Amino acid sequence: MQTVDYDIETLGVRGGIHRTPFSEHSEPIFLTSSFVFESAAQAAARFSGSESGFVYSRYTNPTVQTFEERLAALEGAECCVATSSGMAAILGCVMGLMRAGEHIVASRSLFGATMQLFNNLLAKFGIETTYVSLTDPEQWAVAVRPETRLFFVETPSNPLMEIGDIRAIAEIAHAAGAKLVVDNCFCTPVLQRPIELGADIVVHSATKYLDGQGRVLGGAVLGRRDVVFDPLTAFLRNAGATLSPFNAWVVLKGLETLKLRMEAQSASALALARWLESHPRVRRVHHPGLESHPQHVLARSQQRAGGAVLSFEVAGGREAAWKVVDETRLISITANLGDTKSTITHPASTTHGRLSAEVREAAGITEGLLRVSVGLESCDDLRNDLARGLG
Ligand SMILES: *Cc1c(COP(=O)(O)O)cnc(C)c1O
């Protein structure tokens, strides 16, 4: 399908379709590990790459390819390589683009597993990471070394919804000869398209909003063909972190409703954030759509809406925060996010529980802080569910 002339709604539903001779209407799932050749000569040609076509599903698979083409169209990227999870996408980026002795500059506010990967695994193989403030581009420039290859950003950050200036950080990365990777999990291409803002690479955890219904794990790396395709394909071919065709199909169907879900969930999150902001037991609310957010103007310049995650600080510390969690009857108590089902978590005792109390407080993860990923339930029901524990 020619993608250039279509809007994002259309691309989400129709992108990447290659109908087979059976003329199916819905996208088929190709549950096959290998593909058959017509002759020894064709087998040789497929293996050498002189003839294009499918060989083995660790390399490529038609259902996975449909997902890749559809997501690439949504992100405005030339190329997409799907991976078995969001973490596999991040690992693939590093394994494909870096070598021992090179250096990463990354935001201090990153997904926990990404930090563990950088600190514990990559460090073993001689790749060092320097952490800097997401909100202060100047620190990124200062952290650059001759061997810096990647800048890594997640915006908005989790759980405080801080915003990194993608345009400014991309400029500093390029001046340093480095590539900027943006983890676009929280916004998805519906709310933010980092490549248009100057990023070189976008990574996704498809597990979150792209599936959107909490069913499967998946991931993706997107960017220019010459930057992404060869390094990532070599990584998957030989390291095996491939997306399964079944999971690709589930996420593909998720993409069809992505725009509707993101807009509805983001609007509900903003309505809840406004209500929480006026609640006497709530000290602070973090959501980029609120005028009180310190980077509201920046958020508006690079995001189409604030997103579906918010966090807020309850007066009365851990006891008061746990009471809000325990009094919910509707909202799920789980650390996952991006689902049509709303979820609530107390970061200080779960996702950020292993940090020392001082580090946590310095990072703004206070004992009263709660994070809510807003789903598709009615906003009134969600408000009542939170109001019960707030008293
Ligand atoms: C969940 C998440 C990941 C990791 O994705 P998995 O699919 O669970 O491996 C990476 N980045 C962010 C921002 C996430 O929320």
Side-chain angles (χ1 to χ4, degrees):
M1 186 176 100
Q2 275 294 339
T3 57
V4 279
D5 297 333
Y6 290 110
D7 292 330
I8 197 165
E9 294 89 336
T10 311
L11 297 173
V13 175
R14 299 227 175 224
I17 292 178
H18 302 273
R19 209 158 271 149
T20 77
F22 292 116
S23 306
E24 71 284 349
H25 190 207
S26 176
E27 302 80 346
I29 314 180
F30 285 91
L31 287 180
T32 178
S33 46
S34 74
F35 298 82
V36 177
F37 311 114
E38 278 168 12
S39 63
Q42 188 183 45
R46 290 271 177 94
F47 267 83
S48 74
S50 66
E51 178 184 310
S52 66
F54 298 98
V55 173
Y56 188 63
S57 286
R58 175 153 38 78
Y59 310 171
T60 46
N61 171 282
T63 312
V64 175
Q65 195 174 66
T66 296
F67 164 65
E68 291 171 336
E69 289 181 16
R70 188 169 293 180
L71 186 58
L74 293 175
E75 280 286 1
E78 210 173 277
C79 166
C80 171
V81 177
T83 57
S84 56
S85 68
M87 290 318 302
I90 296 168
L91 176 65
C93 254
V94 173
M95 297 295 274
L97 296 167
M98 297 184 74
R99 58 182 66 247
E102 293 182 334
H103 174 243
I104 301 173
V105 183
S107 158
R108 206 171 280 130
S109 322
L110 288 185
F111 184 66
T114 307
M115 285 193 128
Q116 301 289 331
L117 170 68
F118 289 0
N119 295 344
N120 303 336
L121 291 169
L122 298 186
K124 282 205 307 193
F125 298 94
I127 293 177
E128 263 188 62
T129 305
T130 304
Y131 294 100
V132 294
S133 161
L134 174 65
T135 56
D136 180 4
E138 189 49 38
Q139 289 191 21
W140 295 72
V142 171
V144 167
R145 301 182 192 166
E147 61 275 18
T148 304
R149 284 278 287 146
L150 285 189
F151 275 30
F152 195 97
V153 171
E154 206 179 296
T155 177
S157 70
N158 180 14
L160 293 175
M161 302 293 114
E162 291 177 323
I163 308 294
D165 185 337
I166 296 176
R167 293 182 190 90
I169 297 171
E171 215 166 278
I172 296 164
H174 297 154
K179 300 236 176 319
L180 171 61
V181 183
V182 175
D183 183 331
N184 202 26
C185 173
F186 271 53
C187 277
T188 83
V190 172
L191 302 186
Q192 171 172 281
R193 306 218 301 169
I195 290 171
E196 284 173 358
L197 300 166
D200 302 283
I201 296 169
V202 168
V203 294
H204 268 292
S205 167
T207 315
K208 310 293 169 50
Y209 293 102
L210 303 189
D211 169 23
Q213 286 149 87
R215 300 169 293 194
V216 298
L217 281 98
V221 182
L222 300 105
R224 250 177 26 215
R225 177 160 282 274
D226 63 327
V227 174
V228 163
F229 187 77
D230 286 341
L232 266 294
T233 304
F235 168 71
L236 291 181
R237 248 182 124 113
N238 303 311
T242 314
L243 182 63
S244 91
F246 182 81
N247 289 4
W249 182 83
V250 172
V251 181
L252 181 63
K253 300 311 269 183
L255 291 181
E256 297 186 0
T257 55
L258 181 65
K259 183 158 188 289
L260 289 176
R261 287 186 283 107
M262 288 311 293
E263 288 177 350
Q265 291 175 226
S266 184
S268 274
L270 181 58
L272 277 179
R274 289 199 198 289
W275 168 73
L276 285 165
E277 213 172 25
S278 69
H279 197 288
R281 301 291 314 280
V282 174
R283 281 208 177 126
R284 252 192 101 177
V285 185
H286 308 276
H287 185 270
L290 292 174
E291 289 74 12
S292 61
H293 189 288
Q295 297 161 294
H296 177 65
V297 174
L298 172 61
R300 287 192 60 154
S301 81
Q302 64 184 26
Q303 296 179 207
R304 248 171 263 159
V309 179
L310 62 89
S311 60
F312 61 101
E313 200 178 314
V314 183
R318 177 175 296 206
E319 199 184 332
W322 278 22
K323 182 168 187 308
V324 174
V325 173
D326 290 338
E327 295 268 320
T328 57
R329 294 175 198 160
L330 186 62
I331 302 175
S332 315
I333 307 172
T334 170
N336 195 28
L337 62 92
D339 202 302
T340 52
K341 297 179 175 68
S342 297
T343 66
I344 190 165
T345 184
H346 180 246
S349 58
T350 59
T351 50
H352 295 68
R354 265 181 283 169
L355 301 177
S356 71
E358 302 83 72
V359 172
R360 234 179 7 239
E361 289 287 326
I365 317 289
T366 60
E367 288 291 329
L369 189 76
L370 291 172
R371 187 199 71 193
V372 176
S373 161
V374 179
L376 280 181
E377 303 95 337
S378 112
C379 212
D380 285 345
D381 290 338
L382 293 175
R383 194 182 308 129
N384 293 338
D385 211 41
L386 292 171
R388 204 176 300 112
L390 283 168

